[in-house]
Amino acid sequence: MTTYICDGCGERFRDENGCVGYIDYDIWEQAESDDWLEIDGKHYCPNCYEHDDDLDDYRPKTKQTDER
């Protein structure tokens, strides 16, 4: 089965029908059309990456730590 899980937040990619994976069918093209990216071999949903203007490239967002 092919499925994609965001390496940033753990969200599973769901296609327009709500399916999370297929047997013998790669859904990456659909994930890309929904703005998922592969960065350094890892997969990220649109909420977990940002554009770095200095590098003119996309990078994963850094996790914020809660300082109390």
Side-chain angles (χ1 to χ4, degrees):
M1 178 191 273
T2 302
T3 189
Y4 292 100
I5 300 171
C6 177
D7 286 293
C9 68
E11 177 183 342
R12 289 183 184 270
F13 170 72
R14 297 179 187 282
D15 71 6
E16 67 273 2
N17 297 315
C19 295
V20 296
Y22 293 91
I23 297 173
D24 297 329
Y25 180 70
D26 190 342
I27 58 172
W28 182 246
E29 192 171 298
Q30 290 180 23
E32 280 185 310
S33 71
D34 282 351
D35 296 326
W36 280 59
L37 286 182
E38 182 176 344
I39 303 170
D40 295 330
K42 295 184 177 183
H43 300 101
Y44 295 94
C45 73
N47 295 323
C48 291
Y49 67 84
E50 60 194 0
H51 189 264
D52 184 324
D53 292 331
D54 293 333
L55 298 174
D56 192 27
D57 203 1
Y58 292 96
R59 64 181 177 89
K61 289 182 179 178
T62 55
K63 293 183 180 180
Q64 301 289 326
T65 57
D66 186 13
E67 297 179 25
R68 291 185 189 191

